[in-house]
Amino acid sequence: MVSILPRAGQPQLGQPQVGQPRRRPFGPARRACRLSPGSRLQRRLPQPASRQSGLTTQPGGSAPAPQFQRHQQGSRLHGPPRERTTRARASASASASAGLGTGTGHTGGALRRDVLESLQSLRGMVDLLPDRTLLWQHIEATAQRHFRRAGIREIRTPLLEATELFARGIGEATDVVGKEMYTFLDRGERSCTLRPEGTASVVRAAIQHGLLAQGPQRLWYGGPMFRYERPQAGRQRQFHQIGVELLGVADARSDAEAIAIAWDLLADLGVQGLELELNSLGTPEDRQRYRAELVAWLEAHRDQLDADSQQRIATNPLRVLDSKHPDTQALLAGAPNLHDALSPESHGRFQRVRQGLEDLGIPFRLNPRLVRGLDYYSHTAFEITSSQLGAQATVCGGGRYDGLVEQLGGPATPAVGWALGMERLVLLLQAGDAAPVEAQPD
């Protein structure tokens, strides 16, 4: 830096020489020329060198004369540092301390790399980059077209809900509530949870805003959900779903209709190799009778069960039927059958659902071990699977949940719905070459 100070015998800045036009000073010098010593604004100007570097004090202790500096490789004059300059220096100092400075030494570069490596997305939270969004937009647009044709309207609910909503709706004994939810206390000491699924939030919104008093509701939703699971292909800790909820419909034909909407959507997207698995969970009374019989059988074979299934005997014994452990699955071949515990009414209703699917030309396979992972299901339960996804075969799943609305504080309301996983659907479309080709810009 080169200091430019007025020489002896030369006029100070702001004082024109004889024969030259008067030129107005600029920057801090202009303020200094206009202000008298001791004024409020003058006191905000840079202080003497004893208190601040970069200024000189005039003889006799008068107000400090501004000192200007110029960059060696530039011609612009810079006045004394202002408040923003101080903030910039503090920020630069903090960056240097964090290893983000401009130094080129080995230590500084290593620190910068360490910081950049630490600023990564969280495990299971995946960025959706521009070269992948085209397929996602294609799926969403196709789904919206099907929903409009079926008279299904969109509803959007918050990502964050009271924890009690999911504890009461999904069930405290489920893996979702017991192991997988992102739950925390906010500053008001309220327990909050990032939604792990969409049905409970949609039902809460329908109750809160009086939608059920307006007649049956045909709703769809989409967006991110959160579960603390081990990330793998098609399963992330932040994942995305598109779901349909038909509230206020009790007939067995509505079960077949809900399944048909999902089946037609997947077929329109070009998904191949799909299979519909179907089961009936009966009424709560049916399940209570079956639960007692199943628990007795499981206790008699406890030593042959895997550790997770042994724990579920006391908390959620029907979930043992859904165990993925190969030895447990082989053992369950001799377990009591849920269909044997169904009442005649439940059997008749399930028969009407199957007949409706046959009339629509939708093939299915009965799976008596299919119970789904959430406590609110009753009667029809179904999953649409694909062999292309390996162990994580389910693309879409759902069923009937006639007791959930009342359980969350609303009137007794029959309902049926489903949700499909976007990540798994994207994997299917990519594996089957059904992904759309990006159009070239005009």
Side-chain angles (χ1 to χ4, degrees):
M1 306 294 289
V2 178
S3 298
I4 304 178
L5 298 175
R7 298 180 180 177
Q10 292 184 346
Q12 297 289 332
L13 287 176
Q15 298 179 357
Q17 300 181 20
V18 177
Q20 293 185 357
R22 179 181 178 88
R23 289 185 294 180
R24 299 178 66 183
F26 55 89
R30 181 176 179 179
R31 295 200 306 269
C33 293
R34 293 191 302 182
L35 303 175
S36 60
S39 68
R40 180 180 299 178
L41 292 179
Q42 179 66 36
R43 289 195 299 270
R44 294 163 66 178
L45 291 174
Q47 301 300 316
S50 59
R51 296 172 60 182
Q52 181 175 331
S53 60
L55 298 177
T56 59
T57 304
Q58 295 179 345
S62 60
Q67 176 178 343
F68 293 87
Q69 294 180 333
R70 180 172 60 193
H71 288 292
Q72 293 180 355
Q73 296 181 352
S75 59
R76 182 177 178 180
L77 298 179
H78 292 262
R82 302 181 182 178
E83 182 180 355
R84 64 174 180 268
T85 307
T86 305
R87 290 197 301 267
R89 288 177 177 174
S91 176
S93 176
S95 298
S97 300
L100 298 175
T102 58
T104 57
H106 175 75
T107 304
L111 288 175
R112 287 197 302 274
R113 286 193 299 272
D114 292 342
V115 171
L116 292 176
E117 290 175 359
S118 66
L119 297 178
Q120 304 290 320
S121 61
L122 297 175
R123 186 170 185 239
M125 311 288 182
V126 178
D127 296 314
L128 189 58
L129 301 180
D131 60 347
R132 298 180 56 194
T133 55
L134 179 68
L135 180 55
W136 285 65
Q137 293 167 354
H138 170 66
I139 295 172
E140 293 164 351
T142 304
Q144 292 179 26
R145 186 171 64 253
H146 278 256
F147 298 155
R148 284 193 300 269
R149 187 171 59 197
I152 303 175
R153 301 182 299 166
E154 182 182 10
I155 184 172
R156 301 188 184 188
T157 61
L159 272 65
L160 194 64
E161 298 271 12
T163 303
E164 183 182 5
L165 171 65
F166 303 113
R168 292 174 58 184
I170 299 175
E172 295 185 3
T174 61
D175 289 346
V176 173
V177 174
K179 301 178 182 179
E180 299 173 357
M181 293 200 315
Y182 281 88
T183 298
F184 62 92
L185 293 178
D186 67 4
R187 293 186 178 182
E189 296 299 315
R190 293 172 294 243
S191 181
C192 304
T193 296
L194 290 171
R195 61 184 186 188
E197 58 97 39
T199 300
S201 294
V202 170
V203 171
R204 189 268 310 150
I207 297 172
Q208 178 178 340
H209 300 286
L211 298 182
L212 300 176
Q214 304 172 18
Q217 299 293 315
R218 301 167 66 87
L219 307 172
W220 74 272
Y221 64 88
M225 313 291 168
F226 302 85
R227 295 185 190 179
Y228 192 85
E229 300 180 290
R230 183 173 63 87
Q232 51 188 294
R235 173 185 287 180
Q236 301 296 335
R237 291 175 177 174
Q238 175 179 309
F239 58 100
H240 299 75
Q241 288 185 341
I242 293 177
V244 167
E245 311 294 350
L246 307 181
L247 308 178
V249 290
D251 194 88
R253 290 176 296 180
S254 59
D255 298 25
E257 180 192 10
I259 295 173
I261 293 172
W263 187 268
D264 291 345
L265 171 59
L266 294 174
D268 192 16
L269 287 170
V271 181
Q272 303 294 326
L274 296 178
E275 182 179 47
L276 171 62
E277 298 183 4
L278 197 64
N279 193 23
S280 175
L281 305 180
T283 65
E285 294 75 20
D286 295 340
R287 290 195 303 278
Q288 191 63 32
R289 289 194 299 270
Y290 177 67
R291 177 190 175 108
E293 185 179 358
L294 179 63
V295 168
W297 187 90
L298 293 174
E299 288 288 1
H301 299 81
R302 174 182 287 270
D303 295 342
Q304 304 175 53
L305 297 171
D306 61 276
D308 286 342
S309 297
Q310 291 177 2
Q311 295 177 357
R312 288 172 174 165
I313 294 177
T315 58
N316 196 353
L318 266 67
R319 288 288 290 152
V320 177
L321 300 176
D322 200 34
S323 172
K324 300 300 187 291
H325 195 282
D327 294 339
T328 298
Q329 278 293 321
L331 179 66
L332 289 173
N337 195 315
L338 175 59
H339 285 180
D340 296 334
L342 296 180
S343 65
E345 294 77 13
S346 296
H347 272 295
R349 190 183 191 286
F350 191 41
Q351 176 59 38
R352 291 193 295 274
V353 173
R354 289 180 290 175
Q355 184 62 51
L357 293 173
E358 291 175 358
D359 293 342
L360 293 172
I362 300 177
F364 60 86
R365 178 176 68 85
L366 297 181
N367 180 0
R369 308 298 180 197
L370 176 61
V371 295
R372 302 291 293 158
L374 309 178
D375 282 356
Y376 53 63
Y377 285 112
S378 61
H379 287 300
T380 306
F382 72 91
E383 289 183 350
I384 300 177
T385 63
S386 171
S387 58
Q388 294 179 314
L389 292 180
Q392 301 300 324
T394 303
V395 182
C396 176
R400 177 159 289 276
Y401 50 93
D402 289 347
L404 179 60
V405 177
E406 188 174 11
Q407 187 175 347
L408 295 180
T413 305
V416 62
W418 53 260
L420 60 83
M422 287 287 291
E423 282 80 2
R424 296 183 186 180
L425 182 54
V426 166
L427 288 179
L428 271 176
L429 295 180
Q430 292 174 335
D433 297 327
V437 178
E438 183 173 6
Q440 296 298 321
D442 295 336

